[in-house]
């Protein structure tokens, strides 16, 4: 069992031997090699390819097809992921950074149909999440130092943060008309970091199916989608404990289901004994602190991956009092939340499916 951000995938590789299996995986990650991993017999071979995209580890595991088919399919998926990453990078030169510069200058810009579609879709998802998921707060993310590969433990300039709070620019200020984009506020800067991994899951699943792959697991830093199964057994993933090594529970995913996790343990810095995570509350301009992690499961729908990514953010930010109401409004039935004190809440629908690692949490709260 190997860790992948918020979720751990669990292919059956025990027959390879612990040390040898771990060495092969490390070599594949370091050298960018494609490795054919075998379980107990050749009839149950799985093909695994890894990369580093969207600032995180990406893994594609394919079962039930010849190696040549698996190689071509995985290569196509990772090429698309790399294209999305480069096109919509928020702080390195890209189509998105060029658009943000134009918006800051008060200009109207013609954008690609794909970009226009992302903006319209993200606006709708932000509205459903009552603005707690807002891809238009890129300037705030920059102020907190999270538009960087390495974080510096320092607080934002107080005056700049106060100015942002006074304006509170967001994606709702973006105007999209006939393929052109403008903004009612020059303070808007788009950052699709909380959205694009989910889009990539949906794209990856479509690419795999187009290549004749119907049994696979795609993992993008803890955002996971399952296709089919693994030789008659469901793909099983683990939900990472936000404060301990290893998973707190495991879950079998059905065909087409997606799982998304938002946590304060991947992108954060600590200062004077306090943790500041990258998940920002647009209402306050501060990192959300009432939650350690939220995991949601989305059933098979056309946009399951996108929903799994975009919908976990507002539930993380909403806090203890409001997340159950918001989850119901968003049509999300399966949620696990760990609050800022480590208290675990889970909806009854998800609790029925979980296998806890060790004993169930002593203070577990099951919600209807």
């Amino acid at each position: 069992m190997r860790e992948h951000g918020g979720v751990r995938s669990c292919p059956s590789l025990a027959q390879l031997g612990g040390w040898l299996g771990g060495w092969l995986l490390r070599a594949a990650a370091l050298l960018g090699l494609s490795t054919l991993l075998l379980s107990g017999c050749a009839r149950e071979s799985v093909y695994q390819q890894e990369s580093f995209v969207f600032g995180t580890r990406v893994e594609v595991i394919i079962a039930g097809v010849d190696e040549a088919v698996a190689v071509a399919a995985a290569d196509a998926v990772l090429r698309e992921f790399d294209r999305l990453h480069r096109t919509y990078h928020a702080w390195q030169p890209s189509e998105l950074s060029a658009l943000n510069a134009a918006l800051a200058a008060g200009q109207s810009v013609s954008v690609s149909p794909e970009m226009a579609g992302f903006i319209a879709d993200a606006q709708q998802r932000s509205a459903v999440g009552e603005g707690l998921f807002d891809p238009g707060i890129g300037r705030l993310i920059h102020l907190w130092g999270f538009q960087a590969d390495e974080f510096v433990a320092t607080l934002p300039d107080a005056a700049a943060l106060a100015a942002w709070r006074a304006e509170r620019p967001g994606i709702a200020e973006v105007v999209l008309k006939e393929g052109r984009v403008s903004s009612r506020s020059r303070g808007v800067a788009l950052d699709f970091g909380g959205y694009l991994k989910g889009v990539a899951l949906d794209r990856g699943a479509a690419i795999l199916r187009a290549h004749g792959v119907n049994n696979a697991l795609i993992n993008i830093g803890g955002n996971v989608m399952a296709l089919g199964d693994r030789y008659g057994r469901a793909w099983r993933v683990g939900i990472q404990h936000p404060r301990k090594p290893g998973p707190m529970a495991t879950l079998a995913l059905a065909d087409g289901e997606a799982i998304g996790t938002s946590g304060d343990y991947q992108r954060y810095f600590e200062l004077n004994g306090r943790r500041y995570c990258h998940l920002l509350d647009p209402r306050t301009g501060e990192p959300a602190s009432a939650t350690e992690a939220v995991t949601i499961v989305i059933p098979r729908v056309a946009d399951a991956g996108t929903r799994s990514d975009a919908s976990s953010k507002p539930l993380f930010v909403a806090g203890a009092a409001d997340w159950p109401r918001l989850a119901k409004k968003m049509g999300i039935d399966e949620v696990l939340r760990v609050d800022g004190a480590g208290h675990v809440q889970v909806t009854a629908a998800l609790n029925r499916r979980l296998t806890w690692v060790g004993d169930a949490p002593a203070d577990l709260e099951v919600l209807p």
Side-chain angles (χ1 to χ4, degrees):
M1 187 179 291
R2 303 182 317 283
E3 183 174 345
H4 307 292
V7 176
R8 296 159 64 105
S9 64
C10 311
S12 300
L13 303 178
Q15 294 88 342
L16 286 174
W19 179 87
L20 178 58
W23 183 89
L24 284 171
L25 294 178
R26 286 192 294 273
L30 289 173
L31 300 177
L33 299 178
S34 300
T35 306
L36 182 63
L37 301 175
L38 302 179
S39 61
C41 63
R43 290 178 300 149
E44 293 197 3
S45 63
V46 295
Y47 174 85
Q48 176 173 313
Q49 189 163 327
E50 299 178 354
S51 186
F52 191 83
V53 193
F54 307 120
T56 192
R57 181 186 177 190
V58 173
E59 179 182 42
V60 181
I61 304 173
I62 296 173
V65 296
D66 291 339
E67 181 180 0
V69 174
V71 170
D75 284 348
V77 168
L78 294 179
R79 282 197 303 271
E80 174 64 2
F81 289 0
D82 185 63
R83 184 193 69 82
L84 289 169
H85 173 73
R86 288 184 287 103
T87 303
Y88 299 99
H89 203 293
W91 67 87
Q92 293 180 1
S94 68
E95 289 184 27
L96 184 64
S97 63
L99 172 60
N100 284 335
L103 296 179
Q107 299 172 356
S108 172
V109 182
S110 178
V111 299
S112 68
E114 181 179 70
M115 176 86 79
F118 285 172
I119 293 172
D121 184 55
Q123 283 184 320
Q124 187 271 335
R125 294 180 192 277
S126 179
V128 170
E130 300 180 358
L132 300 185
F133 160 67
D134 191 338
I137 62 169
R139 185 164 295 186
L140 179 66
I141 298 171
H142 177 75
L143 286 175
W144 278 97
F146 290 116
Q147 285 188 340
D149 295 324
E150 295 183 5
F151 310 140
V152 178
T154 183
L155 299 180
D157 176 79
L161 186 57
W164 188 92
R165 288 184 177 125
E167 186 180 1
R168 284 187 60 184
I171 197 168
E173 302 299 319
V174 174
V175 178
L176 178 62
K177 186 175 182 180
E178 297 179 351
R180 296 190 68 84
V181 175
S182 61
S183 176
R184 290 181 285 265
S185 168
R186 294 193 180 192
V188 171
L190 297 173
D191 186 323
F192 288 134
Y195 172 81
L196 207 58
K197 293 193 297 296
V199 170
L201 283 180
D202 292 327
R203 293 279 179 89
I207 291 169
L208 290 177
R209 291 189 177 108
H211 279 75
V213 173
N214 296 308
N215 300 285
L217 194 73
I218 310 171
N219 186 348
I220 307 177
N223 288 81
V224 178
M225 178 172 283
L227 276 68
D229 56 40
R230 189 180 188 279
Y231 296 101
R233 301 183 300 276
W235 296 104
R236 180 166 288 274
V237 299
I239 300 174
Q240 176 67 42
H241 195 294
R243 292 295 183 270
K244 297 178 183 178
M248 60 191 303
T250 65
L251 169 70
L253 292 180
D255 179 30
E257 283 191 318
I259 184 169
T261 294
S262 291
D264 71 352
Y265 51 88
Q266 291 180 312
R267 295 171 61 83
Y268 70 94
F269 64 86
E270 292 183 341
L271 187 65
N272 299 324
R274 179 180 171 185
R275 180 180 300 225
Y276 296 88
C277 77
H278 75 291
L279 294 159
L280 306 179
D281 187 337
R283 300 168 298 186
T284 65
E286 300 273 344
S289 59
T291 308
E292 292 181 359
V294 165
T295 293
I296 64 175
V297 181
I298 303 297
R300 178 171 181 169
V301 291
D303 63 343
T306 306
R307 287 189 66 192
S308 75
D309 196 14
S311 300
S312 64
K313 277 70 180 179
L315 300 186
F316 184 98
V317 172
D322 218 25
W323 80 260
R325 177 196 65 81
L326 189 55
K328 289 180 180 179
K329 175 186 174 183
M330 299 172 70
I332 301 173
D333 298 323
E334 300 185 43
V335 184
L336 183 149
R337 175 179 180 265
V338 183
D339 72 13
H343 176 68
V344 180
Q345 298 173 300
V346 63
T347 60
L350 182 54
N351 187 54
R352 288 191 291 268
R353 298 179 58 183
L354 293 179
T355 300
W356 297 101
V357 176
D359 296 329
D363 59 348
L364 178 66
E365 179 183 2
V366 180
L367 304 178

